[in-house]
């Protein structure tokens, strides 16, 4: 790790204060310096595109060149259209609107303005900006994913904000709106907001950021900005005119390696590939090809250590019910779960995303990922202790939100800071369920925690194991009664099919057997594994083998869109083989694992020269499956999306026999593939470690390289990791070092990457689910 970062760790008391953001290394730090070719004033210098008006709960004061919007942060009733119980509701919006006759903005590719927020004592402030387009392609889209962006601001400071939108339809723009969600306030903040606006203008720059497609026509070198492991393939991808490239030592300036630039053309475009795989000496380097030069990066055996600390920082910043310095005080004490006359507070664990909702299952999966990394870095005492501490914070939450009879608090929807007073109208009601899948999942996590805590906190380990046994029994009883529980869009395990239940049962039983030594769990794991393998395509009924169906009928292939637990299939079989190495069935389990590994290898090349794992194989006839649709696509109407489903499948690569391969999931509302590719990457790394298979291990590394900037946009998708990281939709907890977004999306029904500068949900929303998957993958590459 760099000495600068070591000092930042010490200054943070090893992450008991948030790490500094370093915006000077961000993508957006380049925006003010771009040459402006043309501009158009929308408000300022005595001009206005339209008369400004206030909307929502706001009032407006026009003070010459400055527009001031004022509004209360709280109210005594929910705004019109909100759910009666305030689920996912705030207290209204404070809007500044400009409405005008439709204008063609295609001659401009960004908006630039100045804003100054003022809220007494506020630490996290943000601003939304949106446009309405009534042209050939209406904006916003039906799911409100296009046409809006968010900026993080500093209290009492003027901020220059720039929104690039080169790919956004804007041929008939008729409204420009600046708005702030009135989302309550932190314990130390005032009760009203005041936002000042000035100098609002459109601009055209010659080189807006690349937002759409695999290849970038501008000169570029896209690489892992954090660096590369010494072992395995090391490549950068871009657009280079030179015939040769050099790898240069950043300290001495010496050329340590040179090679030929490979020019590649395939169905995804034209690319220049710079391959320096044969060089493995640790150090800090940059690439040079003619006049082009990359940023600096490391070649380092313990490459992920610094990023691991940063992702832990993100979890610390997302703690719920805990005073996070510089973020918020104790929060959400009045998020309440009720069951049989008993009430518990649901504060704890980590906020799910930028909207400060809470998902118990995802908090549990974070716990698992933290403990798994702790097991792998016992040689780094400070990191080990900090991982154990953060894991215990989440473990406390999942243990105390059990009601002891199979029911537990599972989720709560919140887009606001509540007042922490129990009994008034802004309390949030947490959902309480007895779901077999969640109890199987939690029993495995609790057992895994118990084994990890042995010798560290034996009493807590004993309690966790006791809970794991109870939860496993509750899960088996409920599963015997109802089988797969009905899909519930508010629960982030909603898309789990029967094979997923089998996988999580095998894993949980294996963890319980490892922690307790009791044969009953070994037997349960073996018996359920037979059912799990019956859900695998083992041939010859499809052009590829190894993937899984949702059940034994082989009717529907397992798919994920922004949620993903693809790794659980291999996680289950890996745990089974490791806990029962002498079983006569081990060869059968290993054969299934090898088949899945072969499947990953077979599909991996479909995104070359990038290393992102494709989303997977589809049947063309699945678009007609109205029954399965609501399990996979929440908040969507099958009748409206069936044709889009067919069009998305038609964009896949034909494999024959009615099958296609898609690089990105089939999706509609919820888009972003970080969890999907990282979950598949975890499956690859598990198998790579088990079979000592370098090709599979490299597939796992490539998913991390993609996250660090070796992607078509050249951006690190982990804020603060490497350089050229982009702002993300953090909203109520603000920008945090280590945050990870839902991920790269596609435009409409295409199957090519789309990463617009609209900082909006879901694709740019920070999400602990994506971060937990990154941690799971990271654990397999600790030195």
């Amino acid at each position: 790790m760099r000495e600068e970062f070591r000092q930042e760790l010490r200054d943070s008391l090893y992450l008991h204060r948030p790490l500094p953001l370093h915006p000077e290394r961000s993508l957006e730090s380049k925006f003010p310096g771009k040459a402006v070719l043309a501009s158009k004033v929308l408000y300022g210098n005595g001009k206005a595109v339209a008369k400004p008006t206030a909307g929502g709960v706001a009032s407006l004061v026009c003070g010459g060149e400055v527009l001031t919007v004022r509004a209360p942060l709280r109210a005594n009733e929910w705004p019109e259209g909100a759910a009666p119980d305030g689920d996912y509701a705030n207290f209204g919006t404070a809007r500044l609107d400009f409405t005008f006759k439709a204008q063609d903005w295609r001659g401009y590719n960004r908006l630039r303005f100045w804003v100054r927020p003022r809220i007494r004592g506020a630490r996290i402030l943000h601003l939304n900006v949106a446009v309405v387009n009534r042209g050939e392609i209406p904006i916003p889209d039906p799911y409100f994913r296009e046409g809006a962006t968010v900026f993080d601001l500093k209290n009492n400071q003027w901020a220059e904000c720039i929104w690039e939108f080169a790919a956004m339809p804007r041929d008939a723009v008729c409204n420009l709106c600046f708005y702030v969600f009135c989302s309550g306030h932190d314990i130390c903040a005032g009760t009203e907001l005041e936002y000042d606006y000035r100098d609002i203008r459109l601009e055209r720059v010659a080189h807006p950021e690349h937002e759409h497609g695999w290849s970038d026509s501008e000169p570029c070198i896209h690489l892992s900005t954090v660096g590369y492991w010494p072992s395995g393939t090391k490549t950068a991808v871009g657009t280079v005119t030179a015939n040769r490239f050099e790898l240069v030592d950043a300290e001495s300036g010496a050329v340590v390696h040179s090679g030929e630039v490979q020019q590649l053309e395939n169905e995804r475009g034209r690319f220049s590939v710079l391959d320096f795989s044969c060089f493995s000496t640790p150090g800090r380097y940059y690439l040079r090809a003619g006049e082009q030069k990359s940023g600096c990066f490391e070649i380092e055996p313990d490459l992920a250590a610094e990023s691991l600390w940063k992702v832990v920082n993100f979890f610390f910043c997302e703690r719920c019910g805990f005073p996070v310095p510089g973020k918020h005080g104790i929060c959400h004490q009045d998020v309440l779960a009720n069951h049989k006359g008993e009430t518990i507070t649901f504060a704890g664990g980590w906020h799910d995303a930028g909207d400060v909702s809470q998902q118990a299952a995802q908090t549990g999966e974070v716990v698992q990922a933290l403990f798994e990394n702790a097991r792998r870095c016992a040689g780094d005492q400070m990191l080990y202790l900090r991982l154990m501490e953060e894991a215990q914070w989440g473990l406390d939450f999942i243990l105390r939100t059990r009601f002891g009879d199979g029911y537990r608090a599972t989720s709560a929807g919140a887009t606001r800071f509540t007042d922490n007073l129990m009994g008034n109208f802004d309390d949030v009601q947490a959902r309480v369920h007895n779901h077999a899948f969640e109890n199987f999942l939690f029993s495995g996590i609790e057992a895994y925690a118990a084994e990890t805590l042995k010798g560290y906190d034996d009493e807590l380990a004993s309690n966790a194991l006791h809970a794991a046994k109870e939860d496993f029994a509750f899960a088996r009883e409920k599963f015997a009664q109802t089988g797969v529980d009905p899909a519930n869009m508010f629960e982030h395990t909603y898309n789990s099919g029967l094979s997923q239940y089998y996988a999580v049962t095998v894993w949980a039983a294996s963890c319980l057997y490892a922690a307790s030594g009791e044969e009953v769990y070994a037997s349960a794991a073996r018996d359920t594994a037979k059912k799990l393998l019956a859900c695998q395509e083992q041939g010859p009924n499809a052009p590829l083998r190894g993937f899984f169906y949702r059940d034994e009928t082989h009717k529907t292939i397992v798919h994920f869109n922004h949620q993903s637990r693809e790794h659980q299939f291999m996680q289950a079989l890996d745990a089974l083989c490791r806990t029962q190495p002498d079983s006569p069935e081990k060869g059968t389990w290993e054969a299934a694992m090898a088949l899945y590994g072969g499947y990953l290898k077979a599909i991996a090349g479909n995104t070359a020269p990038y290393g992102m794992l494709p989303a997977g194989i589809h049947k063309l006839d699945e678009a007609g499956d109205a029954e399965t649709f609501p399990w996979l696509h929440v908040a969507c109407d099958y009748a409206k999306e069936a044709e889009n489903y067919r069009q998305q499948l038609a964009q896949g690569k034909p494999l024959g026999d009615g099958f296609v391969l898609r690089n990105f999931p089939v999706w509609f509302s919820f888009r972003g593939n970080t969890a999907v590719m990282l979950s598949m990457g975890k499956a690859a790394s598990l198998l790579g470690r088990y079979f000592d298979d370098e090709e599979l291990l490299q597939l796992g590394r490539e998913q991390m390289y993609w996250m660090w900037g070796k992607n078509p946009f050249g951006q690190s998708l982990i804020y603060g990791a490497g350089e050229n990281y982009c702002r993300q939709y953090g909203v109520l907890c603000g920008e945090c070092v280590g945050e990870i977004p839902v991920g790269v999306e596609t435009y409409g029904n295409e199957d090519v990457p789309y990463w617009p500068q609209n900082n909006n949900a879901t694709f740019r929303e920070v999400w602990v689910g994506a971060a937990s998957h990154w941690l799971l993958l990271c654990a397999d590459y600790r030195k």
Side-chain angles (χ1 to χ4, degrees):
M1 290 191 297
R2 296 169 299 116
E3 181 54 37
E4 175 195 31
F5 182 70
R6 292 182 187 276
Q7 185 58 51
E8 289 176 356
L9 276 181
R10 291 189 286 267
D11 292 344
S12 74
L13 299 178
Y14 291 91
L15 301 185
H16 294 90
R17 293 187 61 84
L19 290 169
L21 293 173
H22 289 296
E24 72 278 4
R25 299 172 188 163
S26 71
L27 170 74
E28 290 78 18
S29 67
K30 305 171 185 177
F31 288 3
K34 290 187 178 183
V36 176
L37 305 179
S39 67
K40 175 182 178 179
V41 173
L42 299 180
Y43 189 87
N45 298 327
K47 300 178 181 179
V49 67
K51 181 181 178 180
T53 59
V57 296
S59 62
L60 174 63
V61 176
C62 299
E65 296 293 301
V66 176
L67 299 171
T68 300
V69 170
R70 298 186 178 120
L73 287 167
R74 289 181 54 82
N76 294 319
E77 61 183 8
W78 303 120
E80 184 178 353
D85 62 356
D87 190 54
Y88 284 103
N90 48 49
F91 300 104
T93 57
R95 296 171 58 100
L96 171 63
D97 275 289
F98 296 89
T99 302
F100 41 87
K101 186 178 179 180
Q103 296 184 1
D104 188 343
W105 284 9
R106 286 176 293 183
Y108 306 94
N109 49 31
R110 73 184 198 177
L111 179 75
R112 189 173 192 160
F113 63 93
W114 291 81
V115 61
R116 177 177 62 188
R118 287 177 285 175
I119 303 175
R120 176 178 54 82
R123 292 174 279 187
I124 301 298
L125 304 98
H126 63 276
L127 171 69
N128 301 266
V129 188
V131 300
V132 175
N133 187 66
R134 293 288 182 249
E136 183 179 350
I137 300 176
I139 296 294
D141 63 286
Y143 299 111
F144 294 91
R145 305 310 188 198
E146 291 284 343
T149 196
V150 171
F151 295 92
D152 292 290
L153 307 172
K154 292 184 178 179
N155 208 1
N156 297 303
Q157 295 184 27
W158 281 104
E160 182 183 32
C161 298
I162 298 173
W163 174 20
E164 286 196 2
F165 42 58
M168 184 180 72
R170 54 192 186 281
D171 55 326
V173 178
C174 58
N175 178 266
L176 171 64
C177 177
F178 302 85
Y179 61 102
V180 181
F181 289 119
C182 300
S183 303
H185 53 85
D186 184 24
I187 190 171
C188 72
T191 58
E192 295 185 347
L193 66 81
E194 216 173 76
Y195 276 52
D196 299 328
Y197 301 88
R198 64 175 173 86
D199 193 17
I200 305 168
R201 64 183 61 228
L202 292 170
E203 294 180 338
R204 182 173 79 249
V205 294
H207 304 290
E209 296 303 311
H210 175 61
E211 295 182 323
H212 181 240
W214 291 103
S215 60
D216 187 344
S217 60
E218 297 285 341
C220 59
I221 299 175
H222 294 160
L223 48 68
S224 170
T225 67
V226 168
Y228 299 82
W229 277 275
S231 57
T233 302
K234 294 179 282 294
T235 61
V237 180
T239 301
V240 172
T241 57
N243 294 323
R244 297 190 63 80
F245 74 93
E246 297 171 328
L247 181 66
V248 183
D249 187 295
E251 302 300 323
S252 68
V255 175
V256 297
H257 174 76
S258 64
E260 186 174 320
V261 175
Q262 303 167 24
Q263 301 297 340
L264 171 68
E265 184 172 356
N266 58 27
E267 59 268 33
R268 286 167 292 284
R270 296 180 178 180
F271 308 91
S272 304
V273 179
L274 288 63
D275 190 333
F276 51 103
S277 304
C278 61
F279 187 86
S280 59
T281 304
R284 187 166 177 80
Y285 305 96
Y286 62 85
L287 291 170
R288 184 169 61 204
E291 298 299 315
Q292 294 175 241
K293 178 182 173 182
S294 75
C296 294
F297 59 91
E298 307 279 342
I299 294 178
E300 165 60 44
D302 199 12
L303 183 67
E306 189 172 309
S307 294
L308 177 55
W309 275 107
K310 290 176 178 177
V311 175
V312 174
N313 174 82
F314 170 55
F315 288 121
F316 174 69
C317 292
E318 290 292 332
R319 280 190 181 187
C320 176
F322 184 89
V324 180
K327 296 290 185 181
H328 58 74
I330 291 178
C331 60
H332 298 115
Q333 296 293 295
D334 52 349
V335 178
L336 305 173
N338 301 293
H339 178 61
K340 292 183 177 180
E342 297 178 327
T343 301
I344 57 175
T345 178
F346 198 51
W350 300 278
H351 296 125
D352 169 63
D355 61 4
V356 298
S357 294
Q358 174 62 280
Q359 290 282 337
Q362 291 192 162
T363 281
E365 289 171 327
V366 174
V367 170
Q368 176 196 343
L370 289 165
F371 275 133
E372 186 168 338
N373 277 275
R375 289 187 180 191
R376 299 277 168 80
C377 64
D380 185 340
Q381 182 72 354
M382 191 60 72
L383 179 56
Y384 167 75
L385 292 172
R386 187 61 188 85
L387 288 164
M388 294 293 284
E389 177 191 10
E390 198 66 23
Q392 285 177 271
W393 168 258
L395 179 62
D396 172 83
F397 175 78
I398 64 174
L399 290 176
R400 66 175 175 77
T401 51
R402 303 168 67 246
F403 282 99
D405 61 352
Y407 284 83
R408 66 193 317 136
T410 56
S411 67
T415 58
R416 65 185 184 274
F417 283 106
T418 56
D419 61 7
N420 285 337
L421 300 175
M422 301 178 189
N424 63 10
F425 97 108
D426 91 325
D427 292 355
V428 177
Q429 292 301 310
R431 303 173 190 94
V432 176
H433 292 291
N434 176 11
H435 282 165
F437 185 88
E438 276 89 342
N439 276 326
F440 278 130
L441 177 66
F442 282 117
S443 67
I445 294 166
E446 290 154 353
Y448 191 88
E451 190 178 16
T452 309
L453 286 162
K454 288 178 182 177
Y456 181 90
D457 188 332
D458 289 332
E459 290 73 19
L460 180 57
S462 176
N463 187 41
L465 182 56
H466 178 75
K469 292 179 178 180
E470 286 192 340
D471 287 343
F472 191 81
F474 292 141
R476 297 191 80 176
E477 179 182 9
K478 181 64 163 53
F479 185 68
Q481 294 171 354
T482 62
V484 174
D485 290 303
N488 185 322
M489 70 164 287
F490 296 110
E491 305 299 332
H492 279 201
T493 55
Y494 62 83
N495 57 0
S496 303
L498 186 58
S499 60
Q500 207 79 40
Y501 280 68
Y502 294 155
V504 77
T505 302
V506 171
W507 178 70
S510 297
C511 290
L512 275 160
Y513 180 50
S516 70
E518 297 177 21
E519 174 59 30
V520 63
Y521 299 114
S523 177
R526 292 193 302 271
D527 291 345
T528 310
K530 295 182 177 68
K531 300 176 181 178
L532 174 60
L533 296 192
C535 300
Q536 188 181 35
E537 177 58 65
Q538 298 185 345
N541 301 311
L544 297 174
R545 299 188 301 162
F547 60 88
F548 286 82
Y549 295 91
R550 289 179 65 86
D551 58 32
E552 295 94 332
T553 68
H554 288 208
K555 173 187 174 184
T556 307
I557 299 171
V558 171
H559 297 303
F560 300 92
N561 37 67
H562 85 301
Q563 296 278 342
S564 182
R565 294 181 172 85
E566 178 85 15
H567 64 279
Q568 286 183 341
F569 299 106
M570 292 305 103
Q571 179 180 261
L573 296 176
D574 176 81
L576 191 59
C577 289
R578 292 184 186 279
T579 55
Q580 302 190 54
D582 299 324
S583 170
E585 299 171 75
K586 181 184 175 186
T588 301
W589 306 333
E590 289 180 330
M593 294 164 69
L595 271 180
Y596 186 84
Y599 167 67
L600 293 180
K601 292 177 182 179
I603 67 175
N606 205 54
T607 61
Y610 291 104
M612 183 198 87
L613 279 166
I617 187 173
H618 290 256
K619 288 183 177 180
L620 285 172
D621 64 5
E622 70 187 45
D625 187 358
E627 181 182 358
T628 306
F629 185 88
W631 293 84
L632 303 179
H633 305 287
V634 299
C636 298
D637 185 322
Y638 173 74
K640 293 180 179 179
E641 300 294 0
E643 179 56 30
N644 289 322
Y645 202 142
R646 284 187 281 271
Q647 290 184 25
Q648 290 191 39
L649 292 177
Q651 293 294 313
K653 178 181 180 179
L655 299 176
D657 299 325
F659 290 85
V660 297
L661 174 64
R662 272 190 63 89
N663 294 318
F664 290 88
V666 170
W667 46 23
F668 306 100
S669 174
F670 289 83
R671 297 182 178 226
N673 78 328
T674 297
V676 176
M677 52 170 275
L678 291 180
S679 186
M680 297 177 76
K682 175 63 177 179
S685 65
L686 277 169
L687 295 174
R689 287 174 63 93
Y690 187 87
F691 291 117
D692 193 23
D693 187 320
E694 174 56 32
E695 186 177 355
L696 288 168
L697 288 170
Q698 182 62 27
L699 291 183
R701 291 187 200 103
E702 288 292 345
Q703 309 321 297
M704 301 180 82
Y705 294 159
W706 173 280
M707 295 299 297
W708 284 328
K710 188 188 165 187
N711 55 58
F713 313 102
Q715 297 174 31
S716 173
L717 303 182
I718 304 178
Y719 197 93
E723 60 182 34
N724 215 42
Y725 36 85
C726 57
R727 67 175 187 264
Q728 298 178 27
Y729 189 80
V731 197
L732 293 180
C733 289
E735 210 83 82
C736 305
V737 168
E739 67 192 14
I740 297 178
V742 174
V744 174
E745 60 171 342
T746 58
Y747 185 78
N749 296 324
E750 296 178 345
D751 194 29
V752 298
Y754 179 50
W755 188 243
Q757 295 305 305
N758 309 333
N759 186 26
N760 198 8
T762 55
F763 68 104
R764 276 191 189 245
E765 186 170 11
V766 304
W767 187 32
V768 298
S772 73
H773 283 33
W774 189 90
L775 279 183
L776 283 173
L777 180 55
C778 176
D780 289 332
Y781 296 92
R782 300 289 295 146
K783 64 176 183 179

